[in-house]
Amino acid sequence: EIVLTQSPGTLSLSPGERATLSCRASQRVSSGYLAWYQQKPGQAPRLLIYGASTRATGIADRFSGSGSGTDFTLIISRLEPEDFAVYYCQQYGSSPQTFGQGTKLEIK
Amino acid sequence: QVQLVESGGGVVQPGRSLRLSCAASGFTFSDYGLHWVRQAPGKGLEWVALIWYDGEHKNYADSVRGRFTISRDNSENTLYLQMNSLRAEDTAVYYCARSRSYDYGAPDFWGQGTLVTVSS
């Protein structure tokens, strides 16, 4: 099983700042099959990025994903108030699929 | 628009069984793989199971393999999760989610979830 480790656990930033979230895999993620999700309290997760770098439909271009192999990054270029949430990475190239433990992005 | 509505959650005693359903609409159900993902109270997401578009291929997390069974009825646009030998650690909100592809793609649309509580 591929273990995904996200860092930092909590990120405290202000609106307008840039956020950099990391996801490191214990083994190579097949074909870059890495996704990022946003989850707000009481809501289902929302797909942001798939294939490591492709934005899902309707996702603002301030969200960008990059990486390959075992190291992946989600960048939010200029934080909006609605971006403060928990973010998860997921690998779906190997079974069992796995999620990271999450990064909480909070308002400073 | 894509809609996924889970049902069947509730309180169940350890060792008992429960079957979850997920009714889908707004897309061609038989063209897509489907996932179950769960989230224990206050915890992160845990992938549970996946079924391909035709029901022929299924994958499970180690924590549920042999106890849970994923299935689908393409004539009824419904996904199921049969959960047997339930344990306290199975307590979670269970989400169904559509794969981006016919097989094991990333989940792109999610239901709102149904809560399963395993307690005596």
Side-chain angles (χ1 to χ4, degrees):
Chain A
E1 162 175 323
I2 296 178
V3 176
L4 299 179
T5 302
Q6 293 185 239
S7 60
T10 302
L11 185 58
S12 300
L13 294 170
S14 301
E17 291 192 295
R18 175 186 177 98
T20 303
L21 288 67
S22 175
C23 177
R24 178 162 289 175
S26 61
Q27 307 168 42
R28 178 182 168 277
V29 175
S30 173
S31 301
Y33 286 162
L34 192 287
W36 289 93
Y37 299 86
Q38 177 193 69
Q39 188 179 34
K40 297 179 180 179
Q43 296 185 15
R46 178 173 70 143
L47 177 66
L48 300 174
I49 301 286
Y50 63 91
S53 61
T54 303
R55 273 189 300 276
T57 302
I59 300 303
D61 61 6
R62 64 180 182 274
F63 292 92
S64 63
S66 64
S68 64
T70 61
D71 289 294
F72 299 87
T73 301
L74 174 70
I75 290 176
I76 311 171
S77 58
R78 292 174 310 281
L79 285 167
E80 299 286 342
E82 62 267 27
D83 297 336
F84 292 91
V86 179
Y87 292 82
Y88 295 94
C89 59
Q90 182 216 14
Q91 69 80 19
Y92 54 97
S94 301
S95 187
Q97 299 188 16
T98 49
F99 286 91
Q101 83 279 16
T103 289
K104 182 180 181 180
L105 178 56
E106 65 177 24
I107 299 176
K108 186 174 182 180
Chain B
Q1 71 279 24
V2 174
Q3 280 201 311
L4 299 164
V5 179
E6 302 92 340
S7 61
V11 180
V12 61
Q13 293 179 328
R16 303 298 291 265
S17 299
L18 203 62
R19 188 176 82 157
L20 305 183
S21 301
C22 173
S25 61
F27 64 101
T28 304
F29 185 79
S30 56
D31 284 351
Y32 291 87
L34 295 161
H35 300 258
W36 286 102
V37 177
R38 68 185 180 183
Q39 187 168 34
K43 302 297 184 182
L45 301 172
E46 181 185 13
W47 180 82
V48 173
L50 163 74
I51 188 167
W52 285 30
Y53 72 107
D54 59 358
E56 292 299 310
H57 298 272
K58 305 173 185 180
N59 298 106
Y60 297 94
D62 292 345
S63 58
V64 307
R65 187 177 294 111
R67 300 187 300 123
F68 290 11
T69 302
I70 190 172
S71 62
R72 64 190 296 161
D73 184 338
N74 285 350
S75 67
E76 296 289 334
N77 290 358
T78 303
L79 172 71
Y80 300 101
L81 185 68
Q82 177 67 43
M83 305 185 294
N84 298 333
S85 303
L86 282 161
R87 306 167 180 168
E89 54 264 37
D90 296 319
T91 294
V93 173
Y94 284 74
Y95 296 101
C96 69
R98 190 188 78 167
S99 169
R100 283 198 65 256
S101 64
Y102 68 94
D103 52 9
Y104 52 86
D108 59 357
F109 287 94
W110 298 59
Q112 284 305 300
T114 187
L115 176 62
V116 173
T117 303
V118 183
S119 173
S120 54

